[in-house]
Amino acid sequence: MAGKQIIMKKGSILIVDDNKNVLTALRILLMSYFEKVTMLSSPSQIPAVLREEIPDVALLDMNFSAGINSGNEGLYWLSEIKKFDPELPVVLFTAYADIDLAVKALKMGASDFVVKPWDNSRLVATLQSAYNLRESRKEVRRLRDKQTVLTGELNRETALCRGVSPEMSELWRMVEKIAATDTNILITGENGTGKEVVAREIHRLSARKNEVLITVDMGAITETLFESELFGHVRGAFTDAHTDRTGKFEAANGGTLFLDEIGNLSLPLQAKLLNALQSRHIIRVGDNTPISVDIRLLCATNRNLPEMVLSGTFREDLLYRINTIQLEIPPLRSRVADIPLLADFFLQKYARKYHKDGLSLAPEAIVKLQSYPFPGNIRELQHAIEKAVILCESAVIQADDFMLNKIAAQDVTKIITLEDAERSLIISALKRHKGNLSIVSNEIGISRPTLYSKMKKFGL
């Protein structure tokens, strides 16, 4: 004998109908599908209920006054419900199939229209679809809220990433030129160079800046979960798929999708990704309905994709699809002029974190940092500064407070003099404080006349 099918209850529903027999029948039917079922026999109770709690779905009768079948009452209460929550799905219920009324209701924000007498399975499917719509909207809103927080946190980091070196100035000139377009961009560079920071700045400067930016670490997605993560799935599509899920493509609709570490994808997954990019629609796992998506695509990798194409490990057609424009971020060792600015940023960050306000870097410490190749790039510099802040025993961090990789340090080919370090320190301070010489001289620890003298010497 086959086991009884288990129905997963989820969400809450508000039902408003003046027919008590209808309410009783609906309660018996829907209590098996919804965790909470709230029944109202009069629409005048709606405001009080919604002030206490907003349900996930509302089922609203269209007519409440005897002898009046215009549906105007339902339209009125539909508008009142939408004042409490514009995104609350409302399914309208009526004994009269009126096409014009249905169209008017849908234009006012109703999710669907059900005619009495109803078919149980069809009604349940309609209400569950409305609930799934609600959950998808919640997920997108959650991602947008998260993006807002991240944007605020990364604003300073983005400004910092621009630096003062010619290499970064050229890179950001290109970013500003192409950000406003919708072209696909491939961002390349070693680990720790700031590829995600560049991607976020491209989004911020684009026409989609008020929409969401969704980031996906392609190297962290397993083969089995790839389609579910990117395209979403419907309930029951596979084991443990207890609810519908919105994929990253769908969540990024209207905004920007950033695929990090794209070089780590296997060939079968590359084919699935290419198909979605070419068709501009996705299909959730377990479903057959295509969903159109409008995204701006950014990708990043630390691997040499043209070499991977030659070796047969990366699809050439996918490379052409993602690589309309390529941005190569230079390693930190190629832009040593930015090290003082970066070092000071991380110094202030970790000084606040570890309650060591007033810390500064000795000129010899800056020389050491600029003389080191930083194979781990900005990320390694950040960690080095954090360790130095933790271990330092005075207000001035000395060169010996930095524990850098001795093997990497032996590979240094460029010798940075104390004069070079001093010049870079003054340049970064001037830029950071927008040319305020009083603040710069106080921060560096020299008098204004000495600062004037050094600026003249360095041609600043």
Side-chain angles (χ1 to χ4, degrees):
M1 182 177 175
K4 184 179 179 181
Q5 183 181 6
I6 298 176
I7 300 173
M8 299 295 295
K9 293 185 180 182
K10 52 184 181 179
S12 60
I13 183 170
L14 171 65
I15 303 173
V16 188
D17 197 298
D18 60 349
N19 188 320
K20 293 185 178 180
N21 292 329
V22 169
L23 290 179
T24 300
L26 290 174
R27 182 179 63 81
I28 295 172
L29 172 64
L30 298 177
M31 65 187 300
S32 298
Y33 296 91
F34 289 88
E35 293 175 346
K36 182 178 180 180
V37 179
T38 302
M39 321 289 290
L40 296 180
S41 59
S42 171
S44 62
Q45 299 171 287
I46 290 176
V49 170
L50 295 184
R51 277 193 288 268
E52 292 294 324
E53 182 182 3
I54 301 293
D56 293 306
V57 183
L59 179 60
L60 175 67
D61 192 20
M62 292 291 290
N63 299 292
F64 296 95
S65 299
I68 299 178
N69 301 316
S70 65
N72 288 334
E73 289 176 295
L75 295 179
Y76 169 77
W77 287 110
L78 168 65
S79 66
E80 290 299 298
I81 291 174
K82 289 295 182 177
K83 290 177 182 178
F84 281 89
D85 186 345
E87 294 187 354
L88 172 60
V90 180
V91 177
L92 297 178
F93 216 20
T94 182
Y96 302 93
D98 186 325
I99 298 300
D100 292 337
L101 182 62
V103 170
K104 187 176 182 180
L106 293 173
K107 286 182 178 180
M108 291 178 62
S111 297
D112 214 327
F113 200 91
V114 176
V115 178
K116 302 174 184 177
W118 66 88
D119 175 80
N120 282 350
S121 59
R122 188 170 298 175
L123 175 62
V124 169
T126 299
L127 294 174
Q128 288 184 326
S129 294
Y131 170 80
N132 293 334
L133 173 64
R134 174 72 157 180
E135 289 302 290
S136 295
R137 287 172 175 172
K138 284 182 180 178
E139 175 67 9
V140 171
R141 190 186 309 114
R142 184 189 67 79
L143 291 168
R144 291 179 189 275
D145 291 343
K146 181 180 179 181
Q147 173 64 25
T148 300
V149 173
L150 286 174
T151 299
E153 292 176 350
L154 290 170
N155 277 344
R156 290 184 66 202
E157 187 177 346
T158 300
L160 178 75
C161 187
R162 290 178 175 266
V164 294
S165 63
E167 295 84 357
M168 292 306 291
S169 295
E170 176 61 23
L171 173 70
W172 287 107
R173 185 191 68 79
M174 180 63 72
V175 166
E176 291 169 352
K177 186 175 182 179
I178 62 178
T181 71
D182 246 4
T183 186
N184 295 339
I185 299 175
L186 176 63
I187 307 169
T188 57
E190 297 177 5
N191 282 334
T193 50
K195 295 187 288 294
E196 184 174 354
V197 175
V198 172
R200 291 185 180 280
E201 183 68 355
I202 291 172
H203 175 72
R204 189 187 70 82
L205 295 172
S206 73
R208 299 171 182 256
K209 62 183 178 181
N210 294 323
E211 301 297 331
V212 70
L213 166 66
I214 301 296
T215 298
V216 186
D217 183 354
M218 305 299 276
I221 299 179
T222 63
E223 297 266 344
T224 54
L225 293 178
F226 176 84
E227 288 182 279
S228 175
E229 287 288 330
L230 266 66
F231 309 142
H233 64 248
V234 297
R235 184 167 66 95
F238 51 84
T239 304
D240 295 330
H242 299 307
T243 61
D244 289 1
R245 180 176 183 179
T246 302
K248 303 301 185 185
F249 267 79
E250 191 176 350
N253 189 40
T256 302
L257 182 64
F258 175 48
L259 304 181
D260 200 5
E261 303 298 346
I262 194 170
N264 293 349
L265 281 184
S266 66
L267 286 170
L269 299 188
Q270 291 174 32
K272 293 177 180 178
L273 174 62
L274 177 63
N275 181 61
L277 295 176
Q278 288 177 330
S279 64
R280 288 289 172 171
H281 74 258
I282 53 95
I283 299 177
R284 290 183 173 186
V285 178
D287 197 4
N288 295 315
T289 305
I291 301 174
S292 297
V293 288
D294 170 27
I295 61 165
R296 201 277 179 80
L297 181 68
L298 306 177
C299 298
T301 183
N302 64 346
R303 306 182 69 176
N304 189 321
L305 296 188
E307 285 188 0
M308 292 179 66
V309 169
L310 293 176
S311 65
T313 55
F314 199 87
R315 295 179 62 113
E316 186 174 27
D317 47 3
L318 178 58
L319 177 58
Y320 288 144
R321 175 68 59 174
I322 67 176
N323 188 24
T324 305
I325 298 289
Q326 179 178 345
L327 296 175
E328 175 76 22
I329 304 180
L332 189 55
R333 61 183 173 275
S334 298
R335 49 187 185 104
V336 294
D338 294 330
I339 289 179
L341 182 68
L342 291 162
D344 182 72
F345 172 81
F346 293 127
L347 177 67
Q348 303 308 320
K349 174 181 178 179
Y350 291 114
R352 288 191 299 271
K353 179 178 179 179
Y354 297 110
H355 308 292
K356 291 189 173 184
D357 295 336
L359 289 181
S360 62
L361 291 169
E364 294 81 8
I366 295 177
V367 171
K368 184 173 183 177
L369 293 176
Q370 290 188 303
S371 301
Y372 178 72
F374 284 103
N377 292 294
I378 297 175
R379 191 175 296 131
E380 185 180 2
L381 172 63
Q382 178 178 353
H383 292 163
I385 296 291
E386 182 176 15
K387 290 178 184 178
V389 169
I390 293 172
L391 298 175
C392 71
E393 297 179 349
S394 67
V396 180
I397 297 180
Q398 304 295 330
D400 291 342
D401 290 317
F402 288 101
M403 298 183 294
L404 303 175
N405 189 317
K406 293 181 179 180
I407 296 177
Q410 292 174 358
D411 297 331
V412 177
T413 58
K414 181 176 180 179
I415 303 300
I416 305 298
T417 66
L418 181 59
E419 189 173 280
D420 291 331
E422 195 173 43
R423 184 177 188 277
S424 294
L425 181 64
I426 292 174
I427 290 174
S428 62
L430 286 169
K431 181 175 182 180
R432 187 165 56 257
H433 299 298
K434 299 179 179 179
N436 190 316
L437 300 185
S438 296
I439 296 177
V440 171
S441 61
N442 183 62
E443 179 181 292
I444 297 176
I446 60 177
S447 66
R448 281 179 61 112
T450 302
L451 177 60
Y452 283 129
S453 176
K454 290 183 179 294
M455 289 175 62
K456 183 177 180 181
K457 174 184 177 182
F458 298 137
L460 301 177

